[in-house]
Amino acid sequence: MTTWEYATIPLLIHNTKAILDQWGEDGWELVQVVPGPAGSNNLVAYLKRPKAEQ
């Protein structure tokens, strides 16, 4: 069975693609993007990747 690890990262609206590309190169898959805290122009991304076998 696959087990997952998760990450929550802030996204700067003016640099979203570069940030997601970097995480994607490290094996992370984008699950969802939601608005940041009230009054913020930023977004929050939720990512996942399979845990390394131990």
Side-chain angles (χ1 to χ4, degrees), residues 26-41:
D26 292 336
W28 292 94
E29 178 181 356
L30 180 64
V31 175
Q32 183 176 15
V33 174
V34 298
S40 168
N41 287 332

Side-chain angles (χ1 to χ4, degrees), residues 6-49:
Y6 298 90
T8 305
I9 60 166
L11 292 176
L12 303 174
I13 291 177
H14 68 276
N15 204 21
T16 302
K17 182 182 179 330
I19 294 168
L20 292 174
D21 282 348
Q22 182 61 52
W23 282 81
E25 287 178 16
D26 292 336
W28 292 94
E29 178 181 356
L30 180 64
V31 175
Q32 183 176 15
V33 174
V34 298
S40 168
N41 287 332
N42 294 331
L43 301 170
V44 177
Y46 292 86
L47 303 106
K48 71 176 185 177
R49 71 176 172 188

Side-chain angles (χ1 to χ4, degrees), residues 1 50-54:
M1 174 169 64
K51 277 189 174 180
E53 304 244 350
Q54 296 179 2

